[in-house]
C-alpha cells in the first residue's frame, strides 16, 4: 500500500509500515494537517495489523522536523500547548499503538519534534543528528506531560541541560544516555533500521504488544495531585499570558534573537 497524503508519504510492505514526513517547505514542521495525516496513517496501520512502524524524514534531509508549526501557535491569550495539541495527540497514539514505532532520524530535530521522536519506542539516528528542545528559547509554557516524557526518557541532568539551554545537542550525548539506540553514518541508517524492523516483525506481535503496554505502565511516573496540577497550570497561564510569550513568537518570524524581559 502506498498512500500520499499532503504532508506525509505512507507505505506498508508486508508487516512493516513507513511514515515519511513530507512538508519540506517548512522543514517538516508539525502542522495540524501533518499530524492529522500521521494519526490517519497510524489508524490504517492498526487496521492492517502492521507489526512495526518506521517514522522518518526523506533521505538526506538537513532537518528531520522543525517542531511545532509556529504559525499555528495562538497569540490571543489561549494556552498554546493543551491536552488536545496535535503533537500531544499523536504522541499518545504512538504510546498506545500496539506495535513498536522506530524513529529513524536524519538531520536536526527541533522542539516538539524531539518529544515526538522520544515518544517512539526506538530511535536510530545519523551520527550528525542534533536535538534541540526549544520552549525556553521561544517563550513557550511547555506542558507537564511533555516534561514528564522528556524526564522519563532522558533523566534529570540531561533534561535540565536540554530544556534550560535550548541548544542543539549532538546525538552522541543521547546515545551515551541510552535515549538513542544507535548513531551510525547516514549511509548505514536505512539498512540498520530495516534489519531491526524485520527482526521485530518476525517475532510474536501479541507478546510485543503486551510487553510494550507493560513497559508503558511501569514507566509512567507518579501522578500529580489535583492541587499540584492546578498550581502548575497557573504557572503556565502566567507564561502564555506574558509579553515574553508574544516576544518569542514575534522574534521567530522576524528571524532575530528574542529579548525576554521576564514579564
Ligand atoms: C513554522 C517554520 C518552522 C516552524 N514552524 O530555514 O518545543 S516548543 O515549546 O518550543 C514548541 C512550541 C516548538 O516545537 O516550537 C518550534 C521549535 N522549532 C524551532 O525552534 C526551529 C525553528 N526553525 C529554525 O530554527 C530553522 O528553520 C531551521 C534551523 C530548522 C532551518 O533553518 P533554514 O535557514 O534552513 P528557514 O529558517 O529559512 O526556514 C524555511 C521556512 O520554514 C519555516 C520558516 O519560517 C521558513 O519559512 P519562510 O520561507 O516562509 O520564511 N519554518 C521553519 N521552522 N517550526 N515554520
Amino acid at each position: 500500500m502506498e498512500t500520499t497524503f499532503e504532508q506525509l508519504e505512507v507505505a506498508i510492505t508486508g508487516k512493516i509500515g513507513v511514515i515519511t514526513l513530507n512538508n519540506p517547505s517548512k522543514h517538516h514542521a508539525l502542522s495540524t494537517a501533518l499530524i492529522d495525516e500521521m494519526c490517519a496513517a497510524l489508524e490504517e496501520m492498526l487496521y492492517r495489523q502492521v507489526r512495526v512502524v518506521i517514522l522518518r524524514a526523506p533521505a538526506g534531509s538537513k532537518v528531520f522536523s522543525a517542531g511545532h508549526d509556529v504559525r499555528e501557535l495562538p497569540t490571543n491569550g489561549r494556552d498554546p500547548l493543551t491536552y488536545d495539541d496535535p503533537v500531544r495527540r499523536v504522541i499518545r497514539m504512538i504510546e498506545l499503538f500496539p506495535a513498536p514505532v522506530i524513529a529513524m532520524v536524519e538531520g536536526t530535530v527541533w522542539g516538539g519534534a524531539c518529544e515526538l521522536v522520544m515518544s517512539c519506542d526506538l530511535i536510530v539516528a545519523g551520527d550528525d543528528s542534533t536535538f534541540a528542545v526549544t520552549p525556553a528559547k521561544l517563550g513557550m509554557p511547555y506542558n507537564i506531560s511533555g516534561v514528564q516524557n522528556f524526564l522519563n526518557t532522558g533523566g534529570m541532568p540531561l533534561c535540565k541541560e536540554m530544556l534550560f539551554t535550548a541548544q542543539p545537542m549532538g546525538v552522541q550525548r543521547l546515545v551515551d544516555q541510552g535515549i538513542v539506540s544507535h548513531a551510525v553514518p547516514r549511509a548505514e541508517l536505512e539498512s540498520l533500521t530495516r534489519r531491526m524492523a524485520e527482526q521485530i516483525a518476525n517475532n510474536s506481535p501479541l507478546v510485543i504488544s503486551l510487553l510494550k503496554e507493560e513497559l508503558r505502565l511501569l514507566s509512567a511516573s507518579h501522578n500529580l495531585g489535583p492541587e499540584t496540577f492546578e498550581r502548575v497550570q497557573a504557572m503556565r497561564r502566567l507564561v502564555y499570558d506574558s509579553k515574553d510569550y508574544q516576544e518569542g513568537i514575534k522574534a521567530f518570524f522576524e528571524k532575530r534573537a528574542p529579548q525576554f524581559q521576564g514579564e
Side-chain angles (χ1 to χ4, degrees), residues 25 27 62 66 68-71 111-112 134-135 138 140 142 252:
S25 66
H27 289 303
K62 180 183 96 166
H68 273 79
D69 185 331
V70 177
R71 285 170 176 75
T134 50
L138 260 178
M140 284 294 130
Y142 217 74
F252 174 84

Side-chain angles (χ1 to χ4, degrees), residues 54-115:
I54 297 170
L55 174 63
R56 61 170 299 169
S61 291
K62 180 183 96 166
V63 178
F64 175 83
S65 170
H68 273 79
D69 185 331
V70 177
R71 285 170 176 75
E72 294 185 352
L73 293 171
T75 52
N76 57 356
R78 280 183 38 243
D79 185 342
L81 299 175
T82 62
Y83 181 80
D84 291 324
D85 166 45
V87 176
R88 300 236 63 71
R89 267 191 296 119
V90 77
I91 283 172
R92 287 194 295 271
M93 206 166 172
I94 288 172
E95 289 171 341
L96 294 172
F97 193 79
V101 178
I102 303 175
M104 188 180 97
V105 173
E106 278 188 81
T108 56
V109 190
W110 301 84
C114 288
E115 196 193 337

Side-chain angles (χ1 to χ4, degrees), residues 8-30:
L8 286 184
E9 283 171 11
V10 176
I12 297 179
T13 313
K15 288 298 178 192
I16 297 175
V18 182
I19 296 174
T20 305
L21 304 176
N22 187 26
N23 182 15
S25 66
K26 295 288 180 276
H27 289 303
H28 314 305
L30 302 176

Side-chain angles (χ1 to χ4, degrees), residues 144 223-235:
I144 197 157
N223 291 321
L224 301 171
E227 186 190 336
T228 305
F229 181 76
E230 278 304 320
R231 179 168 58 79
V232 172
Q233 283 301 87
M235 289 172 74

Side-chain angles (χ1 to χ4, degrees), residues 103-219:
M104 188 180 97
V105 173
E106 278 188 81
T108 56
V109 190
W110 301 84
C114 288
E115 196 193 337
L116 174 65
V117 164
M118 291 163 85
S119 74
C120 293
D121 298 286
L122 292 161
I123 307 170
V124 289
D127 54 12
D128 60 348
S129 303
T130 62
F131 297 77
V133 184
T134 50
K137 187 179 78 174
L138 260 178
M140 284 294 130
Y142 217 74
N143 41 38
I144 197 157
S145 42
V147 173
Q148 178 180 319
N149 283 345
F150 281 126
L151 184 55
N152 278 350
T153 314
M156 190 65 84
L158 187 82
C159 251
K160 284 187 173 178
E161 183 180 345
M162 293 188 84
L163 283 163
F164 296 162
T165 65
Q167 291 305 306
M169 184 171 282
V171 66
Q172 194 52 49
R173 290 286 303 280
L174 280 75
V175 171
D176 297 344
Q177 197 71 19
I179 301 167
V180 173
S181 300
H182 302 279
V184 296
R186 282 186 189 232
E188 299 168 21
L189 189 55
E190 191 142 357
S191 57
L192 183 148
T193 308
R194 185 64 61 176
R195 193 166 52 249
M196 191 185 281
E198 280 158 7
Q199 288 166 348
I200 293 170
N202 291 331
N203 287 331
S204 158
L206 295 178
V207 170
I208 288 177
S209 174
L210 167 69
L211 291 169
K212 178 170 173 176
E213 179 59 4
E214 287 172 335
L215 288 165
R216 183 184 74 85
L217 293 169
L218 291 168
S219 74

